[in-house]
Amino acid sequence: EDKKLAALLDPRWGVDVIIGGHTHTLLEEPCVVAGIPIVQAVTGTDQIGRFDIMVDTDTNSIDSYTWQLIPIDDSHCPRDTALEELIHKYNSATTEKYSRYITRFADTYTHPARNQETQLGRLFADLFRDNLGLDVMLLASGSLRIPEMGPIVTLRELTQMYPFHDEIFRITVTGAQLKNMIAHLFRPGALESDHSEFYQFSGGIRVVVSRGENRVAELSFEGAPIADDKLFRVGLQGYHYKNMKDFFGISEEEATATVPSKVIAINAMDVLDENLSRVELVACPEDERWIIVP
């Protein structure tokens, strides 16, 4: 993706370096595209990337550079006891904060992959729908970050699972628009793509996708076909609301043509925290919302 970006950049924009991160790519040497060096230090804390750049101040451009991956180990990073004491101080405070008990699940529930419906996906989508007055919550699978959770849930586990404090937007769309949005999610090739966005549906929605035909074969809401003129209150996370055209095939103007959009939660994490804390034993919904058939 960084290579594609570099190839598209207009030289007049003055981009000299791209430092990537999201793809977790290991680059032992810079990859140069259109004269722009691209570097990335994989992920985690096993190593750190060091970029030494010499700038020609006469031309305000890069004269030369060196890039190296430095392992984070005892030989390269000697212990700093003063820094360790400082870290311990803050670690004690955060440990106390994030050890707060939230609730208990009836079992350990899982989210093993982003491109399939999951137990935790159903559970979290229903939490947003039920507590924000929605008909449908479309929760991004990629926003759920760990493969399992429970049965004891603390603030630490909840934050690891959903480490976002974004808004939740409500859009009001017609049944015809909702059907087109869901058809776009399962458009030809989407299931095989590494870059498609996948969503967990709240209860009531049932989608049957034919892999062989590359299309949505069945779609219903609360057991009945979706009428084109029926209005649906749909919840989207902030990032996904702002990228509706790419993710759902519908523009913000189209989605708000009938009823204006509205921010219904300014902090999605607070919604989860407050509402999970109210229930002592949380059970995962068992109904399937999207089914893939040959």
Side-chain angles (χ1 to χ4, degrees):
E1 292 302 309
D2 291 330
K3 290 181 182 179
K4 293 178 183 177
L5 174 61
L8 292 172
L9 287 177
D10 188 317
R12 293 173 296 178
W13 294 351
V15 174
D16 298 301
V17 172
I18 293 177
I19 300 177
H22 189 66
T23 59
H24 300 171
T25 305
L26 171 63
L27 290 177
E28 295 182 352
E29 297 292 336
C31 177
V32 180
V33 177
I36 302 172
I38 304 169
V39 297
Q40 191 168 157
V42 205
T43 184
T45 57
D46 291 335
Q47 63 283 311
I48 188 169
R50 175 169 174 166
F51 212 172
D52 292 288
I53 302 173
M54 297 296 293
V55 177
D56 185 332
T57 56
D58 291 332
T59 61
N60 194 30
S61 62
I62 295 177
D63 177 75
S64 61
Y65 58 82
T66 58
W67 164 259
Q68 57 181 319
L69 287 173
I70 302 173
I72 300 179
D73 54 30
D74 290 340
S75 61
H76 293 85
C77 306
R79 292 182 60 183
D80 185 328
T81 55
L83 183 58
E84 286 181 358
E85 290 178 5
L86 180 63
I87 292 172
H88 179 72
K89 172 185 174 182
Y90 285 102
N91 186 58
S92 298
T94 55
T95 297
E96 180 179 356
K97 173 182 177 180
Y98 286 98
S99 296
R100 174 167 60 85
Y101 173 81
I102 300 290
T103 191
R104 182 165 59 94
F105 287 170
D107 201 347
T108 298
Y109 297 132
T110 63
H111 180 71
R114 62 189 293 270
N115 61 346
Q116 66 185 55
E117 182 182 78
T118 68
Q119 292 176 312
L120 287 166
R122 293 196 297 264
L123 177 60
F124 278 52
D126 283 3
L127 276 167
F128 285 120
R129 179 204 60 187
D130 295 343
N131 292 286
L132 296 176
L134 299 167
D135 299 310
V136 177
M137 179 67 192
L138 298 176
L139 177 65
S141 284
S143 64
L144 304 181
R145 294 298 184 130
I146 57 177
E148 65 177 39
M149 187 175 175
I152 301 300
V153 178
T154 64
L155 183 57
R156 175 181 289 105
E157 282 76 38
L158 183 58
T159 303
Q160 289 173 333
M161 173 55 75
Y162 191 90
F164 303 102
H165 296 263
D166 51 349
E167 310 103 324
I168 302 293
F169 284 78
R170 183 187 68 206
I171 59 174
T172 304
V173 296
T174 65
Q177 288 174 317
L178 180 61
K179 287 189 285 188
N180 287 336
M181 290 168 66
I182 293 175
H184 182 81
L185 297 180
F186 296 103
R187 62 195 179 278
L191 291 174
E192 289 73 33
S193 172
D194 291 334
H195 300 291
S196 292
E197 289 290 335
F198 293 93
Y199 293 84
Q200 302 291 320
F201 300 153
S202 55
I205 288 284
R206 186 174 187 273
V207 185
V208 178
V209 180
S210 170
R211 186 182 291 274
E213 297 178 10
N214 271 317
R215 68 179 184 90
V216 174
E218 298 177 27
L219 176 58
S220 62
F221 180 71
E222 294 183 345
I226 295 177
D228 285 350
D229 58 351
K230 180 179 174 63
L231 295 181
F232 290 85
R233 298 164 298 176
V234 179
L236 301 176
Q237 295 147 286
Y239 176 74
H240 299 266
Y241 171 82
K242 295 167 187 174
N243 291 275
M244 275 191 291
K245 187 64 177 178
D246 290 335
F247 297 156
F248 299 101
I250 183 173
S251 68
E252 184 176 343
E253 291 73 23
E254 292 171 317
T256 58
T258 304
V259 179
S261 61
K262 183 177 181 180
V263 175
I264 53 176
I266 60 173
N267 189 327
M269 167 57 90
D270 285 349
V271 175
L272 297 174
D273 185 353
E274 292 169 9
N275 291 285
L276 283 170
S277 298
R278 295 174 183 170
V279 184
E280 174 52 31
L281 188 61
V282 179
C284 176
E286 297 183 357
D287 58 307
E288 289 185 293
R289 287 96 189 263
W290 53 289
I291 303 100
I292 307 297
V293 298

